[in-house]
């Protein structure tokens, strides 16, 4: 499998481990099979799974983003960008008439389909695969699958911006904005820039880079970054805050006034008025 799918395997393994907990924030019964062949090995390689609490909290945060938006009844198309081995179409309860588009590169989608078919997995809603090169023009492929840019959309971008340059991350948000009707939403995560410069993070970041999946982008001003690219933040959390894994985050939440703190941002946004 392509090197970028290391992330997909790692995330699947993390979801499998969360599912095994008595106090699990969610349950993903397909994750263990989708983590092969290296997912659990990668958890150990990347500092013994030190990011597991964040992965679990982020997954639950994005799950809740989907539930809350669908409960409003205005959005019926959801796009998972760089979906990897995500199984939300199979494990969440979906409002009738919802279409879920999973966008990723072709070889990963084909491998995922093979595994899901072998498991007899059945999606709980209309699920559509979109094979596309996310570094190129991929919106046309999304529209070929049935996506309608005239209807409001919920975009989910989980663990994606980390691997982009500043310009690419901004370009992604602008691209999504260009295809978003009024009422569209976006839920995703961003690294704090200080975390990318922290000596405590360096061994982990060096290992990621050695595996060909370096973390590149981060910002310590998420509201400003999002606003500069066509969106308005409606909810900003750090892990450990209420609504973002309170009680499950093993570290103290630092006040926003503390400069230079290592941060991980969980964001919900709406399309800005044009």
């Amino acid at each position: 499998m392509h090197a970028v799918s290391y992330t997909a395997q790692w995330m699947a393994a993390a979801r499998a481990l969360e599912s095994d907990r008595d106090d699990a924030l969610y349950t993903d019964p397909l994750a263990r099979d989708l983590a092969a062949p290296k997912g659990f090995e990668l958890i150990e390689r990347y500092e013994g799974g030190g990011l597991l609490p964040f992965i679990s909290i982020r997954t639950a945060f994005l799950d809740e983003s989907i539930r809350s938006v669908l409960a409003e009844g205005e959005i019926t198309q959801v796009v998972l960008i760089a979906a990897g081995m995500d199984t939300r179409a199979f494990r969440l309860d979906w409002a009738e008439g919802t279409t879920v588009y999973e966008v990723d590169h072709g070889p990963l989608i084909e491998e995922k389909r093979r595994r899901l078919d072998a498991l007899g997995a059945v999606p709980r809603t209309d699920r559509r695969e979109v094979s596309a090169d996310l570094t190129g023009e991929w919106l046309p492929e999304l529209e070929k699958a049935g996506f309608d840019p005239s209807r409001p959309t919920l975009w989910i971008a989980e663990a994606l911006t980390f691997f982009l340059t500043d310009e690419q991350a901004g370009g992604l948000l602008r691209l999504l904005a260009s295809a978003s009707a009024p009422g569209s939403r976006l839920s995703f995560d961003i690294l704090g820039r200080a975390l990318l410069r922290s000596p405590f993070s360096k061994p982990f970041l060096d290992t990621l880079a050695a595996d060909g999946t370096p973390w590149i982008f981060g910002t310590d001003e998420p509201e400003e970054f999002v606003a500069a690219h066509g969106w308005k933040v409606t909810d900003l959390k750090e892990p450990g805050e209420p609504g973002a894994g309170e009680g499950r985050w093993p570290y103290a939440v630092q006040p926003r006034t503390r400069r230079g703190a290592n941060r991980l941002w969980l964001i919900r946004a709406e399309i800005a008025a044009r």
Side-chain angles (χ1 to χ4, degrees):
M1 297 177 70
H2 191 279
V4 72
S5 68
Y6 271 4
T7 302
Q9 296 174 63
W10 175 24
M11 296 300 105
R15 290 192 290 269
L17 292 178
E18 176 65 25
S19 300
D20 290 341
R21 293 178 60 114
D22 291 336
D23 61 347
L25 298 176
Y26 55 85
T27 301
D28 186 345
L30 300 171
R32 188 167 294 275
D33 290 285
L34 296 178
K38 291 183 176 293
F40 295 99
E41 174 187 326
L42 290 168
I43 284 178
E44 294 305 316
R45 176 166 170 76
Y46 299 146
E47 295 195 332
L51 275 177
L52 288 179
F54 175 64
I55 295 169
S56 294
I57 291 167
R58 176 181 64 198
T59 300
F61 179 86
L62 297 178
D63 286 355
E64 182 55 31
S65 296
I66 293 171
R67 292 190 190 97
S68 60
V69 166
L70 294 184
E72 295 172 7
E74 300 297 324
I75 292 179
T76 57
Q77 59 183 7
V78 178
V79 182
L80 309 178
I81 311 163
M85 293 298 183
D86 183 281
T87 65
R88 288 186 171 93
F90 299 84
R91 65 178 179 82
L92 296 184
D93 293 324
W94 295 89
E96 184 177 355
T98 304
T99 302
V100 176
Y101 299 90
E102 296 187 9
V103 185
D104 217 315
H105 64 93
L108 190 150
I109 284 180
E110 292 171 9
E111 174 65 14
K112 181 178 179 179
R113 183 191 310 132
R114 183 190 68 78
R115 297 190 195 187
L116 290 171
D117 287 348
L119 294 169
V122 178
R124 297 184 178 184
T125 192
D126 181 3
R127 171 181 174 265
R128 304 186 188 182
E129 299 171 341
V130 181
S131 298
D133 179 0
L134 287 166
T135 65
E137 294 291 330
W138 56 272
L139 284 179
E141 295 303 315
L142 182 61
E143 291 188 32
K144 287 179 185 177
F147 173 80
D148 183 354
S150 70
R151 293 165 48 204
T153 303
L154 171 60
W155 306 92
I156 301 290
E158 184 172 18
L160 174 58
T161 61
F162 304 1
F163 304 98
L164 307 178
T165 64
D166 289 26
E167 181 178 354
Q168 288 170 334
L172 172 66
L173 266 60
R174 290 194 302 273
L175 180 67
L176 300 184
S178 74
S180 292
S184 293
R185 310 288 184 84
L186 168 64
S187 193
F188 69 121
D189 54 326
I190 301 180
L191 298 171
R193 185 174 295 277
L195 187 149
L196 294 172
R197 300 192 297 260
S198 169
F200 299 103
S201 306
K202 190 175 187 307
F204 166 67
L205 295 173
D206 287 348
T207 304
L208 284 175
D211 285 347
T213 55
W215 283 4
I216 299 171
F217 170 71
T219 178
D220 292 328
E221 299 177 338
E223 296 98 336
E224 290 83 352
F225 174 78
V226 170
H229 300 295
W231 296 87
K232 177 184 177 181
V233 170
T234 58
D235 190 19
L236 179 72
K237 302 286 189 186
E238 292 185 65
E241 292 186 322
E246 184 179 24
R248 282 288 303 272
W249 186 241
Y251 312 106
V253 179
Q254 299 299 316
R256 285 292 299 272
T257 53
R258 181 184 172 190
R259 300 183 62 83
N262 291 340
R263 301 188 187 276
L264 297 154
W265 307 110
L266 297 167
I267 299 171
R268 297 184 178 114
E270 62 185 10
I271 190 69
R274 295 188 176 99

